[in-house]
């Protein structure tokens, strides 16, 4: 799990929990401040969510209450702990909606912790929703890389990163310790196969500064020019550019044929099995998935998966997340397979790189 301060800590902590077996963090209770639904009149709905988009939630939940009279009780935690909490409460369900990240939503579905919502998901492509209707993408986030302004980032390829010019000038967070670092391994597996990914990373080790359990700490290094290139994720990096004025550029390394790719790391939303306020939960799902609300995801540095939504351009000079991935091939891993082989893959990585 990555160790960051303030806003970046929340983003990296929840991303790391996508792909590692780290101990789940303690719950942080926000919004209405409760630990579950405490109303039987249908005027309260409880959301258990991975943290990271709290500011966006705050705005949208307030608008939802104004429109419907239904209050939202938000309980935030790490991705894995969200599902663990729901599992422990099966005999007395408290959550109405679950929002978490892969592969934990897939784990929830396999554990029979979800139910089909019946909400209209026709605007979402098959890759962004469960075939059984148990979950759907609420907000998209993606793996990316960042480069110091002295680098022509748009032209950088994976092969370029192996050149001697970058010796001691590249650093990426460690797979198995940081979620974004693990996503690097997954993407390379998709591009070159498992052995090809290990061969590539073994070569890259000549230029790699060394291991890093924190993706966020690499941002300042790139900004200052201590290193030239590092990995990251769109939500985190754009937030840093917007809030702290960082000058690095976001990019996606290309393969030899010029193709750029990334890994989708979305927030997924589903209706909890036995939801005490399922009707209110369905209303909130419908609201959050509506085109008008999905357009506002730019405010959270996230991307809508709806096929009919064009994101509203952000204010200022910050790039639009949707614009960044418009011409990039988005890989949607088989997260069930990722989880099943993660320990083996990380062990193979460690052996190949000597890290």
């Amino acid at each position: 799990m990555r160790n960051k301060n303030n806003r970046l800590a929340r983003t990296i902590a929840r991303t790391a929990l996508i792909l590692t077996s780290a101990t789940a963090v303690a719950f942080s209770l926000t919004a209405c401040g409760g630990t579950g639904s405490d109303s039987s009149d249908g005027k309260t709905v409880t959301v258990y969510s991975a943290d990271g988009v709290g500011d966006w939630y705050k705005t949208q939940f307030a608008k939802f209450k104004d429109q419907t009279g239904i209050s939202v009780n938000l309980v935030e935690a790490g991705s894995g702990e969200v599902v663990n909490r729901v599992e422990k409460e099966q005999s007395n369900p408290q959550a109405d909606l679950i929002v978490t990240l892969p592969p934990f939503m897939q784990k929830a579905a396999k554990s029979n912790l979800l139910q089909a919502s019946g909400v209209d998901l026709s605007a979402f492509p098959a890759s962004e929703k469960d075939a059984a209707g148990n979950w759907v993408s609420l907000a998209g986030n993606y793996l990316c890389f960042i480069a110091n302004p002295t680098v022509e980032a748009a032209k950088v390829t994976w092969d370029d990163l192996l050149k001697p010019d970058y010796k001691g000038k590249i650093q990426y967070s460690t797979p198995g310790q940081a979620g974004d670092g693990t996503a690097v391994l997954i993407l390379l597996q998709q591009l070159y196969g498992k052995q090809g990914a290990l061969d590539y990373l073994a070569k890259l080790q000549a230029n790699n500064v060394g291991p890093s359990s924190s993706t966020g700490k690499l941002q300042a290094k790139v900004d200052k020019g201590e290193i030239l290139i590092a990995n990251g994720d769109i939500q985190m990096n754009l937030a840093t550019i917007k809030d702290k004025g960082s000058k690095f550029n976001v990019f996606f390394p290309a393969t030899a044929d010029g193709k750029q790719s990334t890994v989708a790391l979305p927030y997924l939303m589903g209706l909890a099995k036995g939801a005490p306020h399922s009707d209110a939960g369905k209303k909130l799902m419908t609201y959050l998935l509506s085109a008008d609300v999905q357009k506002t995801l730019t405010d959270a540095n996230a991307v809508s998966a709806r096929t009919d939504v064009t994101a509203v351009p952000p204010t200022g000079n910050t790039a639009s997340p949707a614009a960044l991935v418009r011409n990039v091939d988005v890989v949607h891993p088989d997260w069930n397979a990722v989880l099943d082989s993660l320990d083996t893959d990380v062990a193979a990585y460690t052996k190949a790189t000597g890290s």
Side-chain angles (χ1 to χ4, degrees), residues 103-137:
F104 290 106
M105 187 60 91
Q106 288 79 0
K107 177 184 176 183
K110 281 189 172 182
S111 300
N112 200 28
L113 301 179
L114 303 172
Q115 61 177 309
S117 67
V119 171
D120 182 8
L121 305 180
S122 60
F124 293 81
S127 61
E128 301 285 353
K129 60 188 176 185
D130 177 46
N134 286 321
W135 52 259
V136 63
S137 175

Side-chain angles (χ1 to χ4, degrees), residues 77 142 145 165 182 194 217 257 262 287 353:
Y142 305 91
F145 281 73
D165 302 18
T182 309
K194 287 200 173 186
K217 288 181 179 179
D257 59 2
T262 185
Y287 172 79
T353 59

Side-chain angles (χ1 to χ4, degrees), residues 295-317:
K295 288 176 183 177
T296 70
L297 282 171
T298 299
D299 299 334
N301 300 302
V303 181
S304 174
R306 284 188 66 113
T307 57
D308 58 350
V309 163
T310 301
V312 177
T315 56
N317 297 320

